[in-house]
Amino acid sequence: MVVRGWARHAAVDWNGRTAPHAVRAPIRNLRELLWEESLADGNTEERFGAWARGDRRDVRFEADTRIAAEMRGGFVPDYNNLDLHVIQGEAEAAEVDHPGRAEAIYMGLTESLGVHYNMMDDSSGDLWPLFEECVEATGRCIRRQDLTAEDRRWRIEYLAGWSLVVFSDFMKCYERELEGLCAGGDDLNTWIRVLEAEAAGGEDRGCYWAASMREIRRARDRVLESLGKAGEATPAP
């Protein structure tokens, strides 16, 4: 893979991280992961910079270091030493008393795994259920919090947005959680607006591993149908 842009020069001060689950990994491998993440998330450079400087913790990059440590020629073979369950375990321990903290951990883990699953050999069948469990747990943590309308809207936008940039077959995991979270027309309209914005774009989305434009438009139509059944008006263009 040819790494372009800012990711070509990304660096980490390995001694200065507040990153409980990070491991020292070849920087070349990590840069490949960051380049792909920049295609999925326009905030990657800013987020990574803050993490790499030690300004804040970011679980996505902790997971990235574990994936990067196992990469061989841009691919993670099966029967390796990749362990992402240790990150899941921290989130599980925090769910009941600190659902917000657990939610952030689950989000970071699913962001990393969801974007990079395409380059992993998961013949052992370990990573797919891990991803599903973490997305489901994210929804569980959201429901455990007393959120304002604005915070709730952000989470619907988050889940809807990430459903479009992770490995294509993972889109349905997010949709299941969104169906449970969207309680009425306002929630469904928020979801639709995310889908509409993506559907209005060109066919070349950059994230070659993610849902196709055809799948995105089908998802939009399904949500529109749900909105119609709820007797709500469709969002203004």
Side-chain angles (χ1 to χ4, degrees), residues 103 142 145-158 181-191 193:
E103 176 193 20
I142 291 172
Q145 298 175 71
D146 183 18
L147 300 174
T148 65
E150 182 178 354
D151 287 339
R152 179 184 179 82
R153 183 170 59 252
W154 180 87
R155 282 158 174 82
I156 292 171
E157 291 173 346
Y158 172 88
L181 287 170
C182 290
D186 288 344
D187 291 343
L188 289 169
N189 278 319
T190 297
W191 185 1
R193 280 192 288 270

Side-chain angles (χ1 to χ4, degrees), residues 60-205:
R60 184 209 294 184
F61 305 118
E62 294 181 29
D64 281 356
T65 64
R66 289 177 170 263
I67 295 170
E70 300 301 324
M71 287 173 62
R72 303 291 183 272
F75 187 70
V76 177
D78 202 14
Y79 306 110
N80 53 64
N81 295 315
L82 178 61
D83 179 10
L84 298 176
H85 289 278
V86 65
I87 303 177
Q88 179 191 28
E90 180 189 356
E92 288 176 336
E95 265 196 49
V96 174
D97 295 329
H98 305 285
R101 181 193 306 168
E103 176 193 20
I105 296 170
Y106 285 128
M107 284 178 172
L109 179 53
T110 53
E111 288 167 11
S112 177
L113 180 54
V115 170
H116 303 303
Y117 184 82
N118 186 65
M119 43 82 75
M120 300 179 185
D121 180 357
D122 191 24
S123 298
S124 61
D126 179 60
L127 298 175
W128 188 300
L130 172 63
F131 184 88
E132 291 183 314
E133 290 166 9
C134 289
V135 173
E136 181 180 348
T138 300
R140 192 164 59 240
C141 289
I142 291 172
R143 287 187 286 273
R144 281 178 170 161
Q145 298 175 71
D146 183 18
L147 300 174
T148 65
E150 182 178 354
D151 287 339
R152 179 184 179 82
R153 183 170 59 252
W154 180 87
R155 282 158 174 82
I156 292 171
E157 291 173 346
Y158 172 88
L159 293 171
W162 276 92
S163 76
L164 307 179
V165 296
V166 296
F167 180 65
S168 58
D169 288 348
F170 288 158
M171 185 178 187
K172 59 182 179 291
C173 301
Y174 287 98
E175 289 183 333
R176 285 195 295 268
E177 293 309 309
L178 283 162
E179 287 167 0
L181 287 170
C182 290
D186 288 344
D187 291 343
L188 289 169
N189 278 319
T190 297
W191 185 1
I192 288 172
R193 280 192 288 270
V194 175
L195 294 170
E196 288 281 10
E198 193 69 28
E203 294 293 331
D204 183 9
R205 304 177 52 246

Side-chain angles (χ1 to χ4, degrees), residues 13-58:
D13 174 8
W14 296 105
N15 296 320
R17 303 309 90 241
T18 303
H21 302 299
V23 298
R24 190 179 293 266
I27 192 63
R28 177 178 179 179
N29 291 354
L30 186 57
R31 286 169 177 166
E32 289 188 21
L33 299 184
L34 293 171
W35 166 242
E36 292 201 333
E37 286 171 28
S38 70
L39 301 178
D41 178 13
N43 294 320
T44 298
E45 180 179 5
E46 179 183 355
R47 281 180 58 174
F48 177 77
W51 178 78
R53 291 191 303 271
D55 294 348
R56 63 173 179 262
R57 184 184 181 191
D58 197 315

